[in-house]
Amino acid sequence: MSRITEGRLDRRYLRKVELLHEKIDAPGVYPFNLPAVRELEKIEFHERVTYMVGENGVGKSTLLEAIAAAWGFNPEGGTLNFNFATAETHSSLHRYIRLIRGTARPKDGFFFRAESYYNVATTIDELDKDPCGGKIIDSYGGRSLHEQSHGEAFFATFMHRFGAGGLYILDEPEAALSPVRQLAMLTRIHELARSGGQFIISTHSPLLMAYPHSRLYSLTANGIRECRVEETEHYIITREFLNNRESMLEALLEEDEEEQ
């Protein structure tokens, strides 16, 4: 049974991550020179959803990959049973972090990363060619992920493969999703979180990061801080553009007089 925290059960599978600074011999070398890694001491995870947001290049995906690899997931994505390597491009960061696990154990899990999901889909098709085995694709809706658009394939995984009581680490899951599908994904996250799921999500989407039962970390060159969605650059810029579209376009595009 999960331990008691503040008068209630702590159902987190993953409680926190810590960077082992004492093991790092070359702090100025990748991946330790990335802002999100350089400034990391520890990150406490929410029992439902934890977001990591920040600008491109800050190190969100590298940190998420390290957390997934340290848990036991394939660095390219998939379930704990996936063990393929299209290219050995993941960093060594997973060797320099410590995961503090909860007493609860997840029934399932998945590391989803948008940039390499093609490789996961290919691996599923290859494994399903074995006539002696069951069809893995049946757990993803029964239709080859390569026969669907990126958005359809992503959403099929979220709807069919993700189940109750799992640990789900998602790197930019909104990459191929329309705004309508992003809202539908919020509903799916809520369903799974209420039934014991824990999510750790890296995203640029103000829609996805709006889930109320969550903790949000902003990763910047100046450090890592917890904040509200309304304080993120993603939310502020999106709101300003929608509210002041014409003036912002004028400032961004600055057409010459002869072009007008």
PDB file of all heavy atoms in Angstrom, residues 127-128 130-138:
ATOM      1  N   LEU A 127       7.517  -6.926 -35.610  1.00  0.00           N
ATOM      2  CA  LEU A 127       7.249  -7.984 -34.630  1.00  0.00           C
ATOM      3  C   LEU A 127       5.968  -8.739 -34.963  1.00  0.00           C
ATOM      4  O   LEU A 127       5.865  -9.949 -34.715  1.00  0.00           O
ATOM      5  CB  LEU A 127       7.150  -7.369 -33.230  1.00  0.00           C
ATOM      6  CG  LEU A 127       8.455  -6.809 -32.648  1.00  0.00           C
ATOM      7  CD1 LEU A 127       8.184  -6.088 -31.328  1.00  0.00           C
ATOM      8  CD2 LEU A 127       9.480  -7.928 -32.442  1.00  0.00           C
ATOM      9  N   ASP A 128       4.986  -8.046 -35.535  1.00  0.00           N
ATOM     10  CA  ASP A 128       3.713  -8.690 -35.853  1.00  0.00           C
ATOM     11  C   ASP A 128       3.789  -9.601 -37.075  1.00  0.00           C
ATOM     12  O   ASP A 128       2.820 -10.308 -37.393  1.00  0.00           O
ATOM     13  CB  ASP A 128       2.621  -7.630 -36.060  1.00  0.00           C
ATOM     14  CG  ASP A 128       2.036  -7.143 -34.742  1.00  0.00           C
ATOM     15  OD1 ASP A 128       2.344  -7.755 -33.701  1.00  0.00           O
ATOM     16  OD2 ASP A 128       1.284  -6.154 -34.743  1.00  0.00           O
ATOM     17  N   ASP A 130       5.698 -12.113 -37.123  1.00  0.00           N
ATOM     18  CA  ASP A 130       5.931 -13.449 -36.556  1.00  0.00           C
ATOM     19  C   ASP A 130       4.598 -14.180 -36.427  1.00  0.00           C
ATOM     20  O   ASP A 130       3.726 -13.771 -35.649  1.00  0.00           O
ATOM     21  CB  ASP A 130       6.589 -13.314 -35.182  1.00  0.00           C
ATOM     22  CG  ASP A 130       6.925 -14.660 -34.553  1.00  0.00           C
ATOM     23  OD1 ASP A 130       6.591 -15.700 -35.155  1.00  0.00           O
ATOM     24  OD2 ASP A 130       7.520 -14.677 -33.458  1.00  0.00           O
ATOM     25  N   PRO A 131       4.390 -15.258 -37.167  1.00  0.00           N
ATOM     26  CA  PRO A 131       3.095 -15.962 -37.138  1.00  0.00           C
ATOM     27  C   PRO A 131       2.830 -16.672 -35.817  1.00  0.00           C
ATOM     28  O   PRO A 131       1.695 -17.055 -35.532  1.00  0.00           O
ATOM     29  CB  PRO A 131       3.208 -16.976 -38.284  1.00  0.00           C
ATOM     30  CG  PRO A 131       4.681 -17.227 -38.411  1.00  0.00           C
ATOM     31  CD  PRO A 131       5.350 -15.912 -38.082  1.00  0.00           C
ATOM     32  N   CYS A 132       3.870 -16.850 -35.002  1.00  0.00           N
ATOM     33  CA  CYS A 132       3.707 -17.582 -33.745  1.00  0.00           C
ATOM     34  C   CYS A 132       3.306 -16.681 -32.584  1.00  0.00           C
ATOM     35  O   CYS A 132       2.912 -17.179 -31.527  1.00  0.00           O
ATOM     36  CB  CYS A 132       5.003 -18.308 -33.392  1.00  0.00           C
ATOM     37  SG  CYS A 132       5.507 -19.527 -34.620  1.00  0.00           S
ATOM     38  N   GLY A 133       3.416 -15.403 -32.772  1.00  0.00           N
ATOM     39  CA  GLY A 133       3.116 -14.486 -31.681  1.00  0.00           C
ATOM     40  C   GLY A 133       1.762 -13.820 -31.834  1.00  0.00           C
ATOM     41  O   GLY A 133       1.134 -13.878 -32.898  1.00  0.00           O
ATOM     42  N   GLY A 134       1.289 -13.191 -30.764  1.00  0.00           N
ATOM     43  CA  GLY A 134       0.061 -12.410 -30.846  1.00  0.00           C
ATOM     44  C   GLY A 134       0.319 -11.103 -31.572  1.00  0.00           C
ATOM     45  O   GLY A 134       1.465 -10.713 -31.797  1.00  0.00           O
ATOM     46  N   LYS A 135      -0.726 -10.445 -31.957  1.00  0.00           N
ATOM     47  CA  LYS A 135      -0.614  -9.197 -32.689  1.00  0.00           C
ATOM     48  C   LYS A 135      -0.512  -8.023 -31.706  1.00  0.00           C
ATOM     49  O   LYS A 135      -1.478  -7.673 -31.022  1.00  0.00           O
ATOM     50  CB  LYS A 135      -1.813  -9.007 -33.606  1.00  0.00           C
ATOM     51  CG  LYS A 135      -1.890 -10.016 -34.750  1.00  0.00           C
ATOM     52  CD  LYS A 135      -0.707  -9.852 -35.706  1.00  0.00           C
ATOM     53  CE  LYS A 135      -0.819 -10.787 -36.891  1.00  0.00           C
ATOM     54  NZ  LYS A 135       0.341 -10.664 -37.815  1.00  0.00           N
ATOM     55  N   ILE A 136       0.666  -7.413 -31.663  1.00  0.00           N
ATOM     56  CA  ILE A 136       0.872  -6.258 -30.790  1.00  0.00           C
ATOM     57  C   ILE A 136      -0.052  -5.117 -31.179  1.00  0.00           C
ATOM     58  O   ILE A 136      -0.575  -4.399 -30.327  1.00  0.00           O
ATOM     59  CB  ILE A 136       2.345  -5.802 -30.841  1.00  0.00           C
ATOM     60  CG1 ILE A 136       3.262  -6.924 -30.365  1.00  0.00           C
ATOM     61  CG2 ILE A 136       2.562  -4.552 -30.005  1.00  0.00           C
ATOM     62  CD1 ILE A 136       4.738  -6.618 -30.545  1.00  0.00           C
ATOM     63  N   ILE A 137      -0.287  -4.960 -32.480  1.00  0.00           N
ATOM     64  CA  ILE A 137      -1.075  -3.828 -32.959  1.00  0.00           C
ATOM     65  C   ILE A 137      -2.501  -3.854 -32.427  1.00  0.00           C
ATOM     66  O   ILE A 137      -3.183  -2.818 -32.382  1.00  0.00           O
ATOM     67  CB  ILE A 137      -1.077  -3.785 -34.509  1.00  0.00           C
ATOM     68  CG1 ILE A 137      -1.517  -2.411 -35.008  1.00  0.00           C
ATOM     69  CG2 ILE A 137      -1.950  -4.884 -35.067  1.00  0.00           C
ATOM     70  CD1 ILE A 137      -0.631  -1.271 -34.573  1.00  0.00           C
ATOM     71  N   ASP A 138      -2.969  -5.026 -31.985  1.00  0.00           N
ATOM     72  CA  ASP A 138      -4.314  -5.095 -31.411  1.00  0.00           C
ATOM     73  C   ASP A 138      -4.442  -4.209 -30.176  1.00  0.00           C
ATOM     74  O   ASP A 138      -5.532  -3.728 -29.868  1.00  0.00           O
ATOM     75  CB  ASP A 138      -4.659  -6.541 -31.044  1.00  0.00           C
ATOM     76  CG  ASP A 138      -4.873  -7.419 -32.271  1.00  0.00           C
ATOM     77  OD1 ASP A 138      -5.070  -6.861 -33.366  1.00  0.00           O
ATOM     78  OD2 ASP A 138      -4.826  -8.655 -32.126  1.00  0.00           O
TER      79      ASP A 138
END
